[in-house]
Amino acid sequence: MRKSQREIVESSRVITRRGLMLATIQAAVVTVLGLKLRSMQIEHADEYRLLSDGNSIKIRLLPPARGLILDRNGMIIAGNEQNYRVTLTREEAGDVSAVIARLRRIIPMSDRQAAEILAEIRRRSAVTPVMVTDRLSWPEFSSIALNAPALPGVTPESGLSRSYPRRGDFAHVLGYVGPVSDYDLSKIDNPDPVLMLPEFQLGKVGMEAKLEQVLRGKAGARRVEVNSAGREMRELSRQEGQQGATVQTTLDAGLQNFVAQRLGEESAAAVVIDVTNGDIAAISSSPVFDPNKFVRGISGPDYRALMEHDHRPLADKTVQGAYPPGSTFKMVALLAGLESGVINTGTRFFCPGYITVAGRRFHCWSRGGHGTVDVIKSLAESCDIYYYELAQRVGIDRIAAMARRMGIGVHHDLPMSAITEGIAPDRAWKMARYQQEWQIGDSINASIGQGYVLASPLQLAVMAARVATGRAVAPRLVRAIDGIQEPEPDFPDLGLNPLNLRAARMGMDAVMNSSRGTARRMRITAPEWRLAGKTGTSQVRNITAAERARGVIKNEQLPWNRRDHALFVCFAPFDAPRYAVSVVVEHGGGGSAVAAPIARDIMLFALAGGLPPLSAYPDGERAKVQEMWSRMDLMPSAAPKTERAKA
Amino acid sequence: MNYLDYQVAQVPTGWRKIFHLNWPLVFLITAVSCIGFLMLYSVSGGNIEQWAAPQMKRFAVGVVLMIALAFVPIWFWRSISVAAYAICVLLLVLVDLIGDVGMGAQRWLVVGPIRIQPSELTKVAFVMTLAAYYDWLPVEKVSRPLWVLIPVVLILLPTALVVMQPDLGTSIMLIAGGGIVMFVAGVSLWYFAGVIAIAVAGVTAVMKSRGTSWQLLRDYQFRRIDTFLDPGLDPLGAGYNIAQAQIALGSGGWSGRGFMQGTQSRLNFLPEKHTDFIFTSLAEEFGFVGAGSLLVLYVLILGFCLHSALTNRDRFASLMTIGIAGTFFLYFSINMATVMGMLPAKGSPLPLVSYGGTSLMILLMAFGIVQSAHVHRPRG
């Protein structure tokens, strides 16, 4: 069938007309598309660019390295160590159990651990890295890195973790860090976002907690590109965090180590204060524990063992323990009497062994009595009757006031946890506390540091330092922060009559060095380190009249927790005091027999800057001391770090 | 037109036909495809093996096929068009019965190693059939109701089969493609106006019925329509993809983020980045310059097709060329409008650029027939 020419022309005309109409419609559509493209890509490009960046760029915090804590010589006592750990991401791992099985050939893992990790990985989102294990040794870590191709999804990471190289030595004063708990966060109003990082460590107790803000430092940040699943693709920029400030303490690592070992497994506390500037050279509570265990997450059995130990290793007895100071309080009572003018340095009282006040008998520790007792003898032989007489005349309020002047019953501001104020009781205190009138018997008990009087070992050391100097010595723990020295303190004079102070010091000297002194055996024979001290034995139970009639039960026959506390305070050298030391041994027995030798050894170590020559000890003590030294495992003496000085 | 109508002596023969190909069209097609290879390379993150290399291989085969088809005389295509239509309908029935399920719809027919998507084939075959029908139909009868009904049935039969797969997008493409051929063939505009009016009235009636006593759809069906029309109502579902696509597109700015620097595509924020959403990657990495250039290339392809059609006195060739070009136009404009958020999301590839074997091959073969029409156009 041939088509006519007319028909061909007609159909061409139709197609051309309609084709052009169609082209017009198509052109309109294309124009709309082009305009929309223009509007999005040129007019609104900035808005979309912002959205795009917001999609793909995330800020990740970099935890700052925690500030170091140094001893007075620049030795690191709280540092940071590399912690090698391994994380696993489900999305990349594929067959998680197969990967873990392969991982177990490199690092030891119990079946239970493996099951726990597997459950944790299944529970978390596929892209969240889950920690498989940490604290790997370098060989394990590098072996995992080497086997990376066979371990998909396994990422070896290294980060910093707190470590305490001196282990237990500084356990109580420094405290420890641990993972941030919900409870920690609830206590902070506006928590630093860095606290939310899973591996972040927060100071929990002690100096670590109190100086948290100083030690924490500033978090750095990384800008990373993430994909739609939130996985990191690459790092765009990195701003390192700022390490926390280095805190140089007043502590002496060598001395602290000696003190901790000297206290051993006793339930005891010792404080060494440099009387010239208040620097705490050592402050130790025993038994100690290893703070590193807390950083790593202490195991249940380990924690229970610490909690159930009757010597309470977790308590910091140096500042948290409040003990009846016993006879170590006598300097306070004496100075209260002397300063008030009720007695003078020549006043004598007669000690018949007991006195009766308000129908009640008060005994001296010496049943036979001391006879005529003067100021010096009252301290040297620790006559109780002298202070009973004194207390009745001076009154409790003046004794309490003197106690506070000497640092007992007041707060000493140190970066440590739960510092006790102790108690310097007076009439108002008893009324407020018990709604009872003060009784004369209360004064008598208080005069020899019993009854309501309570003091911490720190306060006793401060008292000894104040007696030694006559100045309001205040203890301090921080010498410098980030190299900026704390100002050298200039302690105000206590305003005590120098003659009265001298009497108290001479009394303390006589305790050690007079022929009838209670701690004569514990004297220091080296004349340049002459020791002055005061013993104390404080009862933790009442001795009834009936028991006294039968004969007081010997400490050794009592259960441990019913025995007397043994206390000792001292300072040396007598002529130019440098250190004051206090020692409290809980339920240790007699102050002169138990606490005094510890304090003497600590004092000698502090003065000599290491183990002293044996000649400093009396003949009779040398063999015992040498034997004791041989049992100790002391740290090598920390020589001042010269390389730090160069830097 | 019968082949006897051609002045056969003047039509090039043998290998000389190669000089009479519509070469600008060949170059434009190649250029657009190269943009495709570039983008496939980019969105795979530099892994040429993943998408770019297979696509290039298929393109190479496709171009050879295109030129081979161009050598086949146009009257051959007209002669087989009815048979092709019948085969396509048969394949569509087969797909509905035994087809492979992909993306929640039966679209694939597997014959040994070959996977065929009959709906793609149908798009070309039924354009050819309609062109042949109007070539055969005298011009004055074009708008008579009975002669309008026949092509409508020809369109609706495969459309109904495609809807059953279910593949709503392709069925709309079939209707629109067939409509274009009928429109260019000269069917009275009143029919088009009528169909549009009925469609508008129907949709309006359904939407108006909402909340009344004579509600035509259930509530959840209305809610589905709502999210279909405005994906923003479901920002984490269907809306997420469109929102991310728009972010990618807009953030490209004037000159783009640079080759392989598009964060949206490289970091997997974009869905289907190698297929339906590849235009957003292009727009993100090459900006308005890149996206606009692609649009211009598409318009040029349309232009050369239209020119070829309008200068061809063979009615079948003209209608078929315009029909294929119109389908091509529908492809890219729907895809672009979708990723720019102007149309509800419905899977449709960007022609010559998106990764995908069947659609690329079929398209190149369709252009082969367009070339054949160009080579064998009546001369003198």
Side-chain angles (χ1 to χ4, degrees):
Chain A
M1 181 178 100
R2 280 188 70 97
K3 282 181 182 164
S4 67
Q5 196 61 33
R6 189 195 55 77
E7 199 180 7
I8 291 172
V9 171
E10 171 61 19
S11 86
S12 287
R13 218 167 45 79
V14 169
I15 288 174
T16 305
R17 194 171 62 232
R18 286 295 176 90
L20 290 177
M21 276 172 76
L22 182 70
T24 312
I25 295 168
Q26 290 177 342
V29 170
V30 168
T31 308
V32 169
L33 290 175
L35 286 177
K36 174 73 177 174
L37 199 60
R38 201 184 92 94
S39 143
M40 287 176 76
Q41 294 203 288
I42 293 173
E43 277 146 45
H44 299 287
D46 294 344
E47 299 157 34
Y48 286 115
R49 183 66 68 100
L50 271 178
L51 287 170
S52 169
D53 289 347
N55 252 347
S56 56
I57 296 173
K58 298 272 180 274
I59 308 284
R60 296 273 155 94
L61 284 177
L62 285 169
R66 200 170 172 82
L68 304 177
I69 302 178
L70 311 177
D71 90 330
R72 63 157 73 168
N73 297 316
M75 181 187 187
I76 294 173
I77 55 178
N80 304 312
E81 62 177 10
Q82 282 291 330
N83 175 20
Y84 298 108
R85 54 178 176 256
V86 166
T87 60
L88 184 61
T89 313
R90 176 152 52 96
E91 188 200 40
E92 294 161 55
D95 186 355
V96 176
S97 38
V99 171
I100 286 186
R102 259 172 269 155
L103 203 56
R104 286 178 68 180
R105 273 183 243 147
I106 302 172
I107 43 177
M109 206 187 295
S110 72
D111 286 344
R112 216 180 111 215
Q113 277 173 305
E116 275 170 15
I117 292 161
L118 215 58
E120 173 80 359
I121 290 169
R122 300 248 158 82
R123 204 159 53 77
R124 306 294 285 269
S125 109
V127 296
T128 308
V130 172
M131 185 159 76
V132 176
T133 177
D134 71 343
R135 311 236 163 235
L136 290 171
S137 67
W138 172 246
E140 288 171 330
F141 184 75
S142 51
S143 159
I144 287 170
L146 220 67
N147 287 299
L151 299 166
V154 172
T155 315
E157 289 175 354
S158 74
L160 291 177
S161 177
R162 200 59 153 171
S163 80
Y164 302 98
R166 297 307 314 157
R167 311 192 57 193
D169 284 359
F170 296 91
H172 297 98
V173 54
L174 298 187
Y176 48 83
V177 298
V180 184
S181 67
D182 292 338
Y183 174 70
D184 292 327
L185 288 175
S186 72
K187 285 192 298 184
I188 309 168
D189 275 343
N190 191 11
D192 188 336
V194 79
L195 296 182
M196 310 295 180
L197 293 179
E199 70 274 23
F200 194 78
Q201 295 172 331
L202 182 77
K204 294 287 187 178
V205 291
M207 195 183 287
E208 291 275 28
K210 292 290 171 178
L211 297 183
E212 173 65 28
Q213 295 304 323
V214 176
L215 292 166
R216 184 183 299 167
K218 278 213 180 74
R222 302 185 303 139
R223 279 173 68 239
V224 294
E225 204 171 69
V226 296
N227 70 3
S228 59
R231 184 134 53 80
E232 236 169 73
M233 303 308 280
R234 67 182 170 134
E235 190 171 282
L236 299 173
S237 67
R238 187 188 186 97
Q239 189 194 355
E240 289 297 339
Q242 197 187 334
Q243 183 171 12
T246 299
V247 173
Q248 186 172 30
T249 62
T250 59
L251 298 164
D252 182 315
L255 180 63
Q256 181 83 13
N257 177 250
F258 178 82
V259 171
Q261 295 207 23
R262 187 64 185 85
L263 294 178
E265 287 303 305
E266 294 277 11
S267 179
V271 178
V272 182
I273 294 181
D274 185 331
V275 301
T276 60
N277 53 14
D279 282 2
I280 296 176
I283 183 162
S284 183
S285 176
S286 68
V288 296
F289 59 91
D290 185 354
N292 292 308
K293 283 187 178 170
F294 283 83
V295 178
R296 288 163 199 187
I298 192 164
S299 72
D302 281 358
Y303 188 66
R304 258 196 308 285
L306 288 174
M307 288 301 285
E308 287 166 5
H309 196 311
D310 65 353
H311 284 24
R312 305 188 328 281
L314 293 178
D316 184 357
K317 292 159 192 139
T318 59
V319 294
Q320 295 166 5
Y323 304 93
S327 298
T328 59
F329 194 66
K330 281 175 178 165
M331 279 81 78
V332 172
L334 180 67
L335 283 169
L338 291 170
E339 284 290 310
S340 63
V342 171
I343 61 164
N344 61 45
T345 50
T347 303
R348 291 156 196 250
F349 292 109
F350 183 75
C351 168
Y354 65 89
I355 60 168
T356 308
V357 178
R360 219 181 121 191
R361 261 188 195 190
F362 292 90
H363 289 268
C364 186
W365 68 270
S366 169
R367 301 224 53 181
H370 291 97
T372 301
V373 180
D374 64 5
V375 169
I376 303 297
K377 189 177 171 186
S378 77
L379 286 175
E381 298 181 30
S382 203
C383 174
D384 295 335
I385 301 299
Y386 192 94
Y387 291 90
Y388 298 160
E389 298 288 353
L390 179 78
Q392 290 176 59
R393 290 165 175 79
V394 178
I396 189 61
D397 286 351
R398 282 190 278 203
I399 293 176
M402 181 56 72
R404 285 191 279 269
R405 255 169 118 176
M406 304 310 282
I408 292 170
V410 293
H411 181 72
H412 295 294
D413 191 27
L414 288 177
M416 294 176 75
S417 293
I419 296 175
T420 183
E421 275 190 20
I423 297 172
D426 56 17
R427 289 167 196 282
W429 174 85
K430 190 178 178 189
M431 189 49 84
R433 180 82 169 73
Y434 294 106
Q435 287 82 46
Q436 280 174 9
E437 285 295 328
W438 188 266
Q439 303 296 320
I440 189 68
D442 296 332
S443 296
I444 287 173
N445 278 331
S447 70
I448 58 161
Q450 294 279 169
Y452 297 120
V453 185
L454 291 175
S456 69
L458 171 74
Q459 289 172 327
L460 293 176
V462 169
M463 180 198 71
R466 291 185 180 184
V467 170
T469 58
R471 293 181 177 276
V473 175
R476 64 170 192 167
L477 265 175
V478 176
R479 180 175 272 196
I481 291 178
D482 250 353
I484 299 164
Q485 298 284 328
E486 296 285 306
E488 276 293 309
D490 182 22
F491 301 121
D493 199 283
L494 284 169
L496 300 176
N497 185 331
L499 288 175
N500 295 341
L501 268 174
R502 196 177 140 70
R505 288 177 201 149
M506 285 180 66
M508 288 175 73
D509 179 59
V511 168
M512 312 300 302
N513 299 306
S514 72
S515 55
R516 292 181 61 86
T518 53
R520 179 176 163 74
R521 275 178 48 222
M522 305 307 157
R523 72 189 183 279
I524 292 173
T525 50
E528 72 275 21
W529 291 334
R530 187 178 168 114
L531 184 66
K534 180 74 196 82
T535 57
T537 304
S538 63
Q539 290 167 12
V540 292
R541 64 195 183 99
N542 285 322
I543 298 176
T544 59
E547 186 190 330
R548 209 172 279 281
R550 281 195 308 270
V552 177
I553 303 170
K554 285 255 170 20
N555 258 309
E556 297 76 59
Q557 289 158 343
L558 286 167
W560 175 77
N561 61 1
R562 305 274 288 150
R563 294 178 197 168
D564 298 338
H565 292 321
L567 301 93
F568 194 75
V569 298
C570 59
F571 64 87
F574 178 70
D575 300 318
R578 177 71 203 278
Y579 290 109
V581 174
S582 70
V583 171
V584 174
V585 181
E586 285 187 348
H587 311 296
S592 59
V594 177
I598 297 175
R600 172 201 59 192
D601 293 343
I602 292 171
M603 180 64 86
L604 273 173
F605 193 97
L607 289 170
L611 290 178
L614 271 179
S615 60
Y617 288 94
D619 285 339
E621 289 287 294
R622 288 176 191 169
K624 217 193 295 174
V625 166
Q626 207 164 14
E627 194 268 333
M628 173 192 75
W629 286 353
S630 69
R631 274 188 283 113
M632 285 186 171
D633 178 24
L634 296 175
M635 63 176 273
S637 63
K641 297 227 171 136
T642 43
E643 67 268 29
R644 284 189 65 81
K646 269 185 232 147
Chain B
M1 238 186 327
N2 193 291
Y3 74 93
L4 293 173
D5 297 341
Y6 288 94
Q7 300 191 323
V8 174
Q10 290 181 36
V11 170
T13 53
W15 60 270
R16 271 184 311 241
K17 287 182 184 176
I18 201 115
F19 297 114
H20 297 269
L21 286 177
N22 193 345
W23 281 108
L25 200 52
V26 176
F27 287 128
L28 284 169
I29 287 167
T30 309
V32 171
S33 299
C34 286
I35 289 179
F37 307 149
L38 205 62
M39 289 323 296
L40 288 173
Y41 178 76
S42 172
V43 296
S44 68
N47 178 5
I48 197 160
E49 293 300 324
Q50 195 174 5
W51 293 315
Q55 182 87 343
M56 284 157 95
K57 281 177 204 150
R58 286 177 197 145
F59 177 76
V61 174
V63 165
V64 170
L65 262 175
M66 175 172 83
I67 291 170
L69 295 192
F71 276 53
V72 178
I74 186 66
W75 44 86
F76 171 79
W77 296 117
R78 183 176 46 202
S79 323
I80 67 148
S81 55
V82 174
Y85 179 86
I87 290 170
C88 280
V89 169
L90 198 67
L91 288 176
L92 283 175
V93 172
L94 275 178
V95 153
D96 281 349
L97 294 178
I98 58 162
D100 249 25
V101 177
M103 308 285 284
Q106 293 167 311
R107 291 178 187 177
W108 299 92
L109 212 53
V110 183
V111 185
I114 308 166
R115 285 153 59 86
I116 312 169
Q117 220 175 341
S119 59
E120 293 287 327
L121 217 52
T122 308
K123 283 177 197 163
V124 180
F126 100 128
V127 163
M128 270 166 47
T129 310
L130 286 173
Y133 169 78
Y134 281 111
D135 183 39
W136 164 80
L137 193 68
V139 177
E140 60 273 15
K141 291 185 183 168
V142 156
S143 291
R144 295 196 188 151
L146 185 64
W147 300 110
V148 170
L149 194 63
I150 291 170
V152 166
V153 171
L154 286 177
I155 293 170
L156 289 183
L157 180 61
T159 303
L161 290 169
V162 169
V163 165
M164 282 163 65
Q165 286 184 2
D167 185 354
L168 197 63
T170 304
S171 55
I172 290 172
M173 293 277 283
L174 288 175
I175 291 175
I180 284 174
V181 178
M182 289 175 73
F183 178 84
V184 178
V187 175
S188 168
L189 290 177
W190 290 112
Y191 287 103
F192 294 95
V195 168
I196 290 168
I198 290 167
V200 168
V203 170
T204 314
V206 168
M207 297 314 282
K208 284 271 175 175
S209 74
R210 189 174 192 176
T212 64
S213 54
W214 49 279
Q215 187 163 307
L216 292 170
L217 294 176
R218 295 184 185 278
D219 280 339
Y220 77 89
Q221 290 172 315
F222 277 112
R223 279 196 296 276
R224 271 195 206 163
I225 293 173
D226 285 344
T227 42
F228 182 76
L229 293 176
D230 182 5
L233 294 175
D234 182 18
L236 290 175
Y240 176 82
N241 291 350
I242 285 296
Q244 295 298 343
Q246 284 185 281
I247 289 170
L249 226 144
S251 65
W254 171 254
S255 58
R257 299 210 138 184
F259 184 50
M260 301 202 44
Q261 301 297 312
T263 55
Q264 289 284 105
S265 39
R266 213 160 34 73
L267 302 175
N268 281 333
F269 286 99
L270 283 179
E272 304 286 325
K273 56 188 178 184
H274 62 296
T275 56
D276 295 355
F277 284 83
I278 196 161
F279 183 63
T280 54
S281 299
L282 172 75
E284 186 186 24
E285 298 193 353
F286 295 101
F288 185 67
V289 175
S293 301
L294 182 68
L295 195 57
V296 168
L297 288 174
Y298 278 144
V299 170
L300 286 175
I301 289 175
L302 281 185
F304 276 96
C305 286
L306 188 70
H307 178 261
S308 169
L310 296 188
T311 53
N312 197 329
R313 282 182 289 120
D314 182 353
R315 189 170 164 81
F316 170 73
S318 300
L319 288 175
M320 193 207 54
T321 302
I322 290 179
I324 286 171
T327 305
F328 181 74
F329 163 80
L330 287 171
Y331 261 119
F332 79 76
S333 56
I334 287 177
N335 179 276
M336 286 185 183
T338 302
V339 299
M340 285 194 278
M342 301 162 78
L343 282 181
K346 201 72 211 139
S348 75
L350 190 62
L352 298 175
V353 179
S354 282
Y355 180 79
T358 311
S359 85
L360 178 72
M361 296 289 258
I362 302 269
L363 201 56
L364 288 172
M365 284 160 72
F367 278 117
I369 299 166
V370 168
Q371 293 281 3
S372 164
H374 189 77
V375 170
H376 302 96
R377 67 185 181 277
R379 288 169 167 83

